Amino acid sequence: MTDDPSVAESAAKVPRRRRWVGLLVVFLVLLALGGGGAAAYWQFVDRKDEDPGVTACRSAGFVVRAARGEVVPDDEVQRVGELFQRSTHEDLKSAGVFAAGAVQRVQNPRASPATADFRQFNLAAAVPRLIAACGNHQVTVKG
C-alpha cells in the first residue's frame, strides 16, 4: 500500500466517471426507445382515425394487377370495395367502388364472352381514375 494521496485520489475518480458514462448510455437508449415508440404510436393513431377510402387506397394495387390480367382473390376485392363504399370522400367512393366493381365483372366466370372487351375497357378506364383519386389524398396506388 502506498500513502501517496494522488494514487488514492485517481482511484476514487474512476468509478464516478464510469457511473456517469453508464447513466448517459442508459439515458440515450431509453430516449431512442421512447422516440421510436412514440413515432409508432402516432402512426397507428393517425391510421386508426383514417377515412376508410384512404385505407382502401393503400390496398388498391389489386386494380392495377387485374388490369394487367392477373387474377385477384375475390375476398380482397370485396373487402377493399366495402372500404371504398364507406368512405366520406365522394371522389374515393365513386372511383373505388367503380374500380372494384370493374374487377369483379372482369373476373366473373359466368360473364358473357361477348362483353369481355367492354368489361376490360371499363377496368382500364377505372385505373387512372382511381390512381388520381387516391393521389388527391396523398396515397400512391402501387400495383
Side-chain angles (χ1 to χ4, degrees):
M1 294 261 300
T2 62
D3 291 330
D4 187 11
S6 63
V7 173
E9 194 175 295
S10 65
K13 288 183 181 180
V14 172
R16 184 179 291 168
R17 192 174 298 151
R18 282 188 197 154
R19 194 175 328 141
W20 279 106
V21 170
L23 287 173
L24 181 62
V25 168
V26 168
F27 174 75
L28 290 175
V29 167
L30 289 175
L31 183 65
L33 290 175
Y41 171 78
W42 286 114
Q43 185 174 9
F44 174 73
V45 168
D46 288 346
R47 294 252 175 115
K48 187 175 88 172
D49 296 336
E50 188 173 70
D51 182 78
V54 176
T55 302
C57 282
R58 297 185 197 290
S59 302
F62 73 87
V63 176
V64 177
R65 293 191 313 270
R68 288 190 302 230
E70 294 180 32
V71 177
V72 182
D74 291 334
D75 59 337
E76 181 180 4
V77 178
Q78 181 73 25
R79 180 184 64 80
V80 175
E82 289 172 359
L83 286 172
F84 278 123
Q85 183 65 37
R86 293 194 329 250
S87 179
T88 59
H89 301 295
E90 198 55 44
D91 59 337
L92 290 179
K93 187 178 211 175
S94 174
V97 169
F98 180 75
V103 170
Q104 287 175 331
R105 288 186 291 277
V106 164
Q107 293 188 163
N108 185 354
R110 294 174 289 181
S112 169
T115 61
D117 289 340
F118 178 70
R119 286 180 279 133
Q120 193 64 39
F121 175 78
N122 280 342
L123 179 57
V127 171
R129 184 175 163 206
L130 178 65
I131 290 172
C134 290
N136 288 340
H137 297 274
Q138 289 75 41
V139 179
T140 302
V141 176
K142 300 173 185 171

